[in-house]
Amino acid sequence: MTMKICLSAAILYVTTALAVTPASAGDGRTGAFVGGAALGAVGGVLLGQALADRPAPPPRPAPVYEPAPVAYDPYVDRLDRLHAGCDRGDRRACVQFGEMIGAHRERVAEWRRTHPDFFEWE
């Protein structure tokens, strides 16, 4: 940090010295170029110091992905038990399974999509 301040002071001194010394008519472009370069260097050093003194931004939090909530269907557990009983040969379970499907016709399309094994028969 101290080296940057010394360097900027030296460049400022050179710039001031060039501005004070009289230049001949042919030296106008060279003097302007050297003065502009020195002034740009001083500005660059000061800008670098200002950016270095700035605190770092806080880290961004990682995105959290949570699964979408799934609506619980209270009839699926019972349908699963009745379907398993029907597969084992329990006629009463088969009849109750059919009655449940008949009583809830509005849900049959959803059940066919989510539980296609309920509607596959051997």
Side-chain angles (χ1 to χ4, degrees), residues 55-67:
R60 298 175 73 185
V64 177
Y65 298 105
E66 295 180 8

Side-chain angles (χ1 to χ4, degrees), residues 40-57:
V42 169
V45 168
L46 294 176
L47 181 62
Q49 286 177 355
L51 292 177
D53 293 341
R54 216 171 58 176

Side-chain angles (χ1 to χ4, degrees), residues 46-99:
L46 294 176
L47 181 62
Q49 286 177 355
L51 292 177
D53 293 341
R54 216 171 58 176
R60 298 175 73 185
V64 177
Y65 298 105
E66 295 180 8
V70 178
Y72 175 71
D73 190 355
Y75 300 110
V76 173
D77 292 334
R78 185 163 184 224
L79 281 171
D80 194 29
R81 283 194 312 273
L82 292 173
H83 187 264
C86 189
D87 283 345
R88 286 191 307 266
D90 183 5
R91 284 185 175 242
R92 185 174 180 207
C94 290
V95 170
Q96 287 178 347
F97 182 77
E99 287 175 350

